[in-house]
């Protein structure tokens, strides 16, 4: 797929006039001074009535690709989206910018639905958000046939594909709309799609000679970190406490874990809540609303949470358990830092988790899905175990080949240090042998460190020759050594016997001292995340906190999420440029004419008050 570059000089006078209008609307309504790479190409394709397939990472401006041409054209634009909450958030954001938008879904009252239908009939709505189920209803399709449609945008289009990581049958049926709306252009958008998924989207939606745009998958503002999973609950609590109230998501592999971790965080004074499919609908909606409005800092969730979540100021995503595919990992980590400011993606990794997932995949009845999932999980596991730049592994998976290290992942910031590990390997392997190759990694570490654990004493393992021979090193150290020996093939874990460690034939040479062996120094501490993510960046932190509070007060007053007022990126720019007039404020990214009229005076007054009362030290060392 090759992205086209739109050259205005080579276009007709009509096209040049359209581009000029788009640029004016971009500044006036959205507050942006220029297009991002690929956006104008996609917009012009839609306005020319051409189908499009758009691959852009989260935060690269996918939504603008359909929102701006929608308000610049005469007809109605229909956006098909998978989540009701996402649609409602998008509508709120549109209305805050003065764009007539609405949504139709099952959660609306009959009165609200009737009002929206009347507005549609009177051509008072420019953008209508609907679910795939609603879009496929015969009665709704009949209504669409009576409207003047500009185009149909299908967000999260990877859900259409059987090769995608989040295949949804109802999404796969959207191609049926072609039969009833043959002359309406379609725009399919997604942040995650490999070659097979892209091909499937094109076929299932029956896209005709589409304009295909593929942006870089790189999200340079996100720092990728993998930490060995040792005491995961403590690791997560310590990490979240460092973030000073920044917004974050913690993903877990089970519903039970989400509730346990959320409760533990709450007991530590952290504003957190669980989110999973079995919770009551009202509770889930309440949690989402509180998170979007900055009343909750952390959501601990299964993958049921977050697809396309419209919250740009999420500063970190933690994976408590390894995801099943790089696509899932990429999409979930992509929910952090959508505003372009520094963000982190932290994953806790334990090889036993990988074995458990592999077993779950093997139990699938559908052989085709089983093979697809095994292949995808194998790539995910390889990334978690990588000893080279994480971003290189990620980008190469999506066929964006590069050999330049990123400088913003744990392996680039703190390259693995290797050491002569023969003696430690012999201690560990010998201990596995002495306990009869019948116990898991935790018990082996207890014996090596000379633990007085009652189970160790009951089994008389305190009388073994290997008891206490590793007492000079920490639990974490020995966990790391044993895991690396597993990775190197000297030990296997028998999942049929509670992950008991067993020696392989290769271990003999190590025990006899016939080979040399090097291991990586254990990566126990999150060296890449010593400070809060919010500490990064050269802007006035004191003023930022004041503007953030002002934004929250205004958002609560207007009953909208804070980012609907201004994004964190806009606030940061204010804390660098110190705008004190309307003209100055309009130069800030994300400040358009409507938002200036609604909120500009309050923020200008706050900045002026700060400047009048700030010392030189506050200005330059905030």
């Amino acid at each position: 797929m090759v992205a086209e570059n739109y050259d205005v000089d080579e276009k007709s006078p009509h096209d040049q006039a359209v581009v000029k209008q788009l640029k004016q609307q971009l500044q006036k309504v959205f507050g942006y001074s220029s297009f991002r790479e690929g956006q104008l190409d996609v917009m012009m394709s839609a306005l020319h009535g051409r189908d499009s397939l758009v691959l852009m990472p989260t935060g690269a401006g996918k939504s603008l690709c359909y929102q701006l041409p929608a308000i610049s054209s005469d007809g109605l634009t229909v956006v098909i989206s998978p989540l009701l909450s996402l649609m409602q958030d998008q509508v709120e954001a549109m209305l805050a910018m003065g764009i007539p938008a609405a949504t139709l879904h099952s959660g609306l009252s009959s009165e609200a639905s009737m009002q929206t239908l009347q507005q549609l009939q009177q051509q008072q709505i420019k953008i209508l958000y609907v679910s795939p189920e609603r879009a496929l209803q015969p009665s709704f399709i009949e209504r669409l046939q009576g409207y003047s449609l500009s185009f149909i945008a299908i967000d999260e289009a990877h859900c259409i594909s059987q090769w995608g990581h989040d295949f949804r049958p109802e999404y796969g049926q959207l191609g049926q709309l072609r039969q009833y709306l043959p002359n309406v252009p379609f725009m399919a958008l997604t942040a995650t799609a490999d070659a097979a998924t892209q091909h499937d989207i094109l076929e299932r939606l029956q896209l005709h000679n589409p304009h295909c745009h593929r942006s870089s998958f790189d999200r340079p503002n996100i720092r990728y970190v993998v930490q060995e999973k040792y005491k995961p609950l403590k690791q997560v609590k310590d990490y979240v406490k460092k973030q000073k109230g920044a917004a974050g998501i913690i993903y877990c592999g089970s519903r039970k874990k989400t509730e346990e971790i959320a409760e533990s965080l709450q007991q530590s004074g952290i504003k957190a809540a669980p989110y999973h499919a079995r919770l009551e609908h009202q509770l889930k909606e309440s949690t989402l609303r509180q998170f979007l409005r900055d009343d909750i800092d952390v959501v601990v969730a299964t993958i049921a949470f977050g697809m396309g979540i419209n919250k740009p100021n999420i500063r970190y995503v933690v994976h408590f358990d390894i995801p099943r595919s790089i696509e899932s990992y990429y999409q979930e980590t992509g929910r952090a830092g959508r505003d372009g400011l520094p963000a982190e993606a932290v994953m806790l990794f334990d090889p036993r988790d990988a074995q458990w997932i592999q077993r779950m995949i093997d139990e699938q009845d559908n052989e085709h899905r089983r093979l697809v999932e095994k292949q995808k999980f194998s790539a995910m596991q390889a990334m978690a175990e990588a000893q080279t730049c994480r971003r290189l592994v990620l980008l190469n998976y999506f066929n964006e080949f590069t050999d330049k290290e990123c400088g913003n992942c744990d392996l680039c910031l703190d390259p693995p240090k290797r050491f002569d590990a023969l003696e430690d390997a012999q201690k560990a392997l010998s201990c596995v042998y002495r306990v009869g190759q019948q116990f898991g990694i935790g018990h082996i570490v207890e014996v090596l460190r000379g633990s007085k654990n009652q189970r160790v004493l009951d089994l008389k393992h305190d009388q073994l020759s290997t008891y206490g021979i590793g007492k000079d090193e920490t639990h974490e150290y020995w966990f790391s050594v044993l895991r690396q020996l597993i990775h190197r093939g000297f030990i296997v874990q028998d999942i049929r016997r509670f992950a008991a460690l067993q020696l392989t034939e290769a271990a003999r040479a190590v025990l006899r001292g016939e080979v040399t062996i090097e291991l990586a120094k254990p990566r126990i501490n999150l060296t890449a995340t010593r400070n809060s993510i919010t500490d990064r960046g050269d802007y006035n932190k004191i003023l930022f906190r004041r503007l953030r509070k002002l934004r929250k007060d205004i958002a609560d007053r207007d009953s909208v999420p804070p980012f609907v007022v201004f994004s964190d990126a806009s606030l940061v720019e204010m804390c660098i440029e110190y705008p004190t007039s309307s003209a100055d404020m309009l130069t800030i990214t994300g400040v358009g004419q409507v938002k200036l009229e609604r909120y500009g005076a309050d923020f200008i007054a706050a900045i002026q008050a700060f400047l009048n009362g700030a010392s030189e030290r506050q200005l330059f060392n905030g």
Side-chain angles (χ1 to χ4, degrees):
M1 297 171 59
V2 179
E4 299 174 15
N5 295 315
Y6 199 88
D7 188 341
V8 177
D9 294 335
E10 297 180 1
K11 302 303 176 182
S12 67
H14 175 265
D15 278 3
Q16 291 181 18
V18 171
V19 171
K20 182 178 180 181
Q21 180 191 6
L22 288 173
K23 288 182 176 178
Q24 290 172 344
Q25 294 278 55
L26 181 72
Q27 174 64 57
K28 180 180 178 181
V29 179
F30 295 91
Y32 299 127
S33 59
S34 61
F35 293 104
R36 294 186 184 181
E37 189 263 330
Q39 287 181 327
L40 184 57
D41 296 341
V42 174
M43 293 176 191
M44 291 302 292
S45 293
L47 293 174
H48 278 298
R50 185 179 175 188
D51 291 344
S52 298
L53 174 59
V54 182
L55 280 80
M56 286 185 178
T58 304
K62 286 195 305 297
S63 298
L64 194 67
C65 287
Y66 58 78
Q67 290 168 350
L68 184 50
I71 66 173
S72 301
S73 57
D74 294 330
L76 170 70
T77 294
V78 175
V79 182
I80 300 174
S81 183
L83 294 177
L84 303 187
S85 56
L86 170 61
M87 291 190 283
Q88 193 60 48
D89 294 337
Q90 293 270 22
V91 168
E92 287 180 354
M94 294 293 95
L95 294 175
M97 290 185 284
I99 299 172
T103 181
L104 281 174
H105 57 74
S106 57
L108 292 177
S109 65
S110 57
E111 292 82 3
S113 294
M114 284 302 299
Q115 182 181 2
T116 297
L117 291 172
Q118 289 173 1
Q119 290 175 318
L120 285 168
Q121 198 65 39
Q122 296 166 8
Q123 300 181 10
Q124 296 175 348
I125 292 173
K126 295 296 294 181
I127 305 178
L128 177 68
Y129 290 82
V130 299
S131 66
E133 294 84 0
R134 172 60 70 104
L136 291 168
Q137 287 180 359
S139 59
F140 184 74
I141 293 174
E142 187 176 348
R143 283 184 180 276
L144 289 183
Q145 290 174 309
Y147 298 144
S148 173
L149 296 179
S150 298
F151 60 93
I152 292 177
I154 300 175
D155 207 1
E156 309 293 350
H158 62 273
C159 295
I160 290 167
S161 172
Q162 61 179 331
W163 299 100
H165 63 283
D166 194 23
F167 175 60
R168 299 188 179 196
E170 65 276 11
Y171 248 65
Q173 299 167 21
L174 289 174
Q176 297 174 17
L177 292 175
R178 279 293 191 189
Q179 302 170 28
Y180 305 99
L181 305 166
N183 299 318
V184 177
F186 278 51
M187 181 189 296
L189 307 102
T190 181
T192 49
D194 57 17
T197 303
Q198 293 170 38
H199 185 265
D200 217 17
I201 292 171
L202 294 172
E203 282 200 340
R204 285 175 176 255
L205 284 180
Q206 304 169 42
L207 299 185
H208 307 307
N209 185 31
H211 164 72
C212 295
H213 172 79
R214 171 175 170 162
S215 296
S216 170
F217 281 92
D218 192 12
R219 295 283 305 281
N221 63 313
I222 298 179
R223 178 173 294 175
Y224 297 104
V225 178
V226 177
Q227 184 184 19
E228 291 192 39
K229 194 176 191 179
Y230 170 59
K231 292 183 177 178
L233 187 56
K234 182 179 185 302
Q235 288 170 294
V236 166
K237 285 167 65 174
D238 289 347
Y239 177 80
V240 172
K241 286 177 182 177
K242 287 181 186 176
Q243 305 314 320
K244 302 178 182 178
I249 303 174
I250 300 169
Y251 282 109
C252 303
S254 72
R255 295 185 289 269
K256 182 180 179 183
K257 284 181 187 176
T258 67
E259 296 181 0
E260 292 174 348
I261 295 170
E263 183 179 358
S264 180
L265 291 175
Q266 290 166 1
Q267 291 172 352
S268 298
I270 296 165
K271 292 184 287 185
Y275 189 106
H276 59 73
R278 291 288 180 85
L279 292 174
E280 292 182 6
H281 176 73
Q282 287 185 333
L283 182 57
K284 288 191 292 185
E285 284 296 302
S286 172
T287 295
L288 177 59
R289 287 286 154 203
Q290 290 181 76
F291 186 55
L292 291 174
R293 300 190 179 192
D294 292 348
D295 295 323
I296 288 176
D297 295 327
V298 184
V299 172
V300 190
T302 59
I303 58 171
F305 179 80
M307 177 183 285
I309 183 172
N310 193 30
K311 183 176 172 66
N313 65 332
I314 296 171
R315 299 268 64 88
Y316 62 90
V317 169
V318 176
H319 279 94
F320 193 85
D321 301 302
I322 184 173
R324 289 196 176 206
S325 70
I326 285 184
E327 288 94 340
S328 295
Y329 173 77
Y330 180 79
Q331 188 176 57
E332 288 156 15
T333 57
R335 287 160 194 156
R338 289 180 57 188
D339 51 14
L341 298 180
E344 269 181 350
V346 178
M347 179 167 64
L348 303 181
F349 178 63
D350 181 344
R352 289 181 299 177
D353 292 346
Q355 290 183 332
W356 178 78
I357 290 176
Q358 286 170 340
R359 185 173 61 181
M360 296 289 289
I361 293 172
D362 286 339
E363 291 175 356
Q364 276 228 32
D365 293 332
N366 187 315
E367 184 178 358
H368 173 69
R369 289 302 301 173
R370 184 168 67 248
L371 292 173
V372 171
E373 289 190 24
K374 284 189 77 167
Q375 179 182 340
K376 289 181 178 292
F377 182 65
S378 177
M380 184 68 242
Q381 187 176 355
M383 181 185 174
E385 296 174 348
Q387 291 294 308
T388 56
C389 172
R390 310 277 181 200
R391 202 177 309 269
L392 286 186
V393 177
L394 194 64
L395 294 178
N396 287 336
Y397 177 84
F398 288 113
N399 298 323
E400 189 174 327
F401 301 112
T402 178
D403 59 0
K404 185 179 179 182
E405 295 185 342
C406 73
N408 194 30
C409 72
D410 58 328
L411 293 169
C412 287
L413 293 165
D414 182 29
K417 300 175 180 64
R418 309 194 75 79
F419 71 106
D420 181 355
L422 179 60
E423 185 177 340
D424 286 345
Q426 288 174 325
K427 289 178 180 178
L429 296 173
S430 180
C431 193
V432 172
Y433 178 76
R434 296 292 178 187
V435 300
Q437 304 182 74
Q438 297 179 37
F439 297 87
I441 193 169
H443 186 76
I444 302 300
V445 172
E446 294 288 324
V447 175
L448 281 168
R449 295 198 71 252
S451 169
K452 300 293 185 183
N453 182 296
Q454 191 60 47
R455 187 161 182 253
V456 171
L457 301 179
D458 290 345
L459 292 166
K460 295 186 168 46
H461 286 170
D462 58 326
Q463 299 175 22
L464 297 175
S465 60
T466 53
Y467 179 76
I469 61 174
K471 62 184 177 183
D472 294 336
E473 300 290 355
T474 64
H475 277 80
E476 297 96 327
Y477 179 89
W478 286 112
F479 263 82
S480 178
V481 167
L482 283 159
R483 283 173 176 160
Q484 290 186 68
L485 292 173
I486 292 168
H487 296 163
R488 299 282 293 273
F490 300 115
I491 306 172
V492 294
Q493 290 177 293
D494 188 345
I495 59 175
R496 296 166 301 178
R497 298 173 56 221
F498 306 101
L501 302 188
Q502 297 178 329
L503 304 183
T504 67
E505 186 63 30
R508 288 181 182 272
V510 177
L511 287 168
R512 292 171 179 168
E514 297 172 352
V515 295
T516 58
I517 180 169
E518 280 193 347
L519 297 178
K521 284 281 187 183
R523 305 180 69 83
I524 304 304
N525 300 313
L526 285 171
T527 53
T529 59
R530 289 192 186 99
N531 300 319
S532 166
I533 300 163
T534 56
D535 289 338
R536 296 187 204 150
D538 186 16
Y539 60 92
N540 192 293
K541 310 301 191 303
I542 297 173
L543 177 58
F544 180 79
R545 288 193 289 272
R546 293 188 186 181
L547 296 185
R548 197 166 179 255
K549 184 181 184 304
L550 171 62
R551 179 181 67 178
K552 182 72 169 75
D553 292 342
I554 292 173
D556 288 346
R557 179 198 71 195
D558 294 350
S559 297
V560 296
F563 61 80
V564 167
V565 179
F566 289 125
S567 70
D568 277 11
S570 296
L571 297 191
V572 165
E573 198 171 327
M574 292 178 199
C575 295
I576 295 173
E577 301 297 336
Y578 304 107
T580 55
S581 69
S582 295
D584 291 343
M585 189 63 80
L586 279 173
T587 67
I588 300 297
T589 302
V591 181
Q593 193 64 45
V594 173
K595 286 194 175 184
L596 175 67
E597 293 170 2
R598 290 184 179 178
Y599 312 122
D602 289 330
F603 282 83
I604 289 171
I607 293 167
Q608 287 176 329
F610 175 77
L611 292 174
N612 291 336
S615 66
E616 185 175 330
R617 183 175 183 277
Q618 282 179 310
L619 281 175
F620 295 102
N621 298 304

